[in-house]
Amino acid sequence: MALNNQTLVTEFILQGFSVTPQLQIFLFITFLFLYLTALTGNILIVMAISLDSGLHTPMYFFLANLAILDIGCTSTVLPKLLQNLIVAKKSISYDGCMTQLYFLTCFLGTELLLFTAMAYDRYVAICHPLHYSTMMSRMVCLFLVNSVWGIGALSSLLQTALMLRLTFCGPNEIKHFLCEIPSLLLLSCSSTYVNNIMIVIADAYFGVINFVLTIVSYGFIISNILKIRTTEGKKKAFSTCSSHLTVVSMYYTTIIYTYIFPGSGSSMDNGKMVALLYTTVGPTLNPLIYTLRNKDFKTALKKIFPFIH
């Protein structure tokens, strides 16, 4: 097939954070620390929930899946970012870029769906406590989690397949530290019309619809909490969903800023910082947010690691 003497792109150049060697060393140490912290925290969550039968409840089952997603998300981005901070040529192969694109899109989409399932779980726990064991039975939880992972994987597969059909024959510098759909579409030599339509559909489903469902769930939750007469009762009810609400708020803020308003006048550097929040800082903070004040989780950790006081 003739390409008018144009050469197909076989690798992309990822734009780094700084050209200053000293600053790159500092960034390498910082990101390595965040990566190791995220891995440690999320692995501990999965271990504790798996090994302690007291944590075999729907809430912790969803939390274990969130931890797995966080491990996957940060592991998709951080190793390559760390490598590019210490090498002169900050490149990624075409195949490597598409692989990173698939897994990053899959984990981010699945996480949004999982947040909705977790919000529903908290809604049932607070608004229908007497029917909780029936409405959130083992079969229901398995169905929700399998659906979340399945839809996330299929959607990402479709987005990646649409990206693979595009031709890249001109500029190959991605103005980001990772391979993501918006940045790659800017480099395509062929029509991105279908890709743009699918992005709008995906944004509407994963972003808008799930955001609305989560807000509706918390609307019912807050309304129900306000009806509780005792202050102690209100505090206890709110404590069961405050961690999830904090994480969801932080996550949706970064996603909306990055994808819903990509042309809001923000600089590329701001875009990179926001991407760091949901690929690095979020997975690092989530274990702390969910477990810092959780007595059940602390008890489970002490059973696994007796030396923890």
Side-chain angles (χ1 to χ4, degrees), residues 13-295:
I13 305 299
L14 293 170
Q15 193 179 75
F17 285 93
S18 170
V19 293
T20 308
Q22 293 84 352
L23 187 55
Q24 287 194 333
I25 293 172
F26 170 75
L27 289 175
F28 177 85
I29 295 172
T30 302
F31 291 144
L32 180 61
F33 171 76
L34 289 173
Y35 181 46
L36 294 176
T37 303
L39 284 182
T40 303
N42 285 292
I43 288 172
L44 282 176
I45 284 180
V46 175
M47 285 179 60
I49 294 173
S50 300
L51 298 176
D52 192 321
S53 58
L55 299 182
H56 291 177
T57 64
M59 182 178 74
Y60 290 109
F61 177 60
F62 291 129
L63 182 55
N65 277 271
L66 178 62
I68 293 170
L69 284 169
D70 281 340
I71 292 170
C73 185
T74 193
S75 296
T76 300
V77 175
L78 265 292
K80 190 62 184 178
L81 174 59
L82 289 170
Q83 179 190 345
N84 285 340
L85 283 170
I86 57 174
V87 297
K89 187 179 181 182
K90 307 178 189 306
S91 62
I92 184 171
S93 68
Y94 175 85
D95 291 339
C97 187
M98 294 302 151
T99 301
Q100 186 184 70
L101 174 73
Y102 171 77
F103 283 106
L104 181 61
T105 306
C106 175
F107 291 134
L108 292 179
T110 303
E111 199 151 326
L112 286 172
L113 293 173
L114 185 63
F115 283 147
T116 305
M118 293 173 78
Y120 174 71
D121 171 64
R122 293 299 84 205
Y123 159 74
V124 175
I126 292 173
C127 299
H128 302 282
L130 297 179
H131 301 95
Y132 182 75
S133 59
T134 304
M135 294 176 70
M136 294 303 297
S137 66
R138 178 181 173 83
M139 290 302 295
V140 172
C141 291
L142 287 173
F143 172 76
L144 286 173
V145 166
N146 288 333
S147 298
V148 161
W149 279 94
I151 293 171
L154 286 174
S155 174
S156 182
L157 184 63
L158 177 59
Q159 294 286 359
T160 307
L162 288 173
M163 190 64 68
L164 288 169
R165 58 183 279 276
L166 299 180
T167 302
F168 297 91
C169 54
N172 69 334
E173 183 179 1
I174 299 173
K175 297 187 182 300
H176 215 307
F177 63 84
L178 51 78
C179 291
E180 63 169 5
I181 295 173
S183 301
L184 281 169
L185 291 182
L186 295 174
L187 303 179
S188 175
C189 302
S190 49
S191 172
T192 59
Y193 179 73
V194 177
N195 298 71
N196 289 324
I197 290 176
M198 290 308 300
I199 288 174
V200 172
I201 294 173
D203 284 346
Y205 176 69
F206 286 96
V208 179
I209 293 177
N210 280 280
F211 179 71
V212 170
L213 289 173
T214 302
I215 291 298
V216 169
S217 294
Y218 274 96
F220 283 114
I221 288 170
I222 292 171
S223 175
N224 202 75
I225 290 175
L226 292 175
K227 293 177 183 177
I228 299 174
R229 294 182 179 181
T230 64
T231 304
E232 189 64 30
K234 288 181 179 180
K235 286 183 179 179
K236 185 177 180 181
F238 186 73
S239 67
T240 65
C241 59
S242 58
S243 297
H244 180 244
L245 188 57
T246 301
V247 171
V248 168
S249 300
M250 181 176 67
Y251 195 87
Y252 269 109
T253 300
T254 57
I255 292 293
I256 290 171
Y257 185 90
T258 306
Y259 292 102
I260 308 301
F261 303 114
S264 57
S266 59
S267 67
M268 281 293 178
D269 285 337
N270 283 341
K272 292 175 188 176
M273 294 307 295
V274 171
L276 273 178
L277 287 176
Y278 63 77
T279 61
T280 307
V281 179
T284 304
L285 291 180
N286 286 354
L288 296 176
I289 294 172
Y290 277 107
T291 63
L292 206 56
R293 294 179 299 172
N294 192 310
K295 294 180 181 179

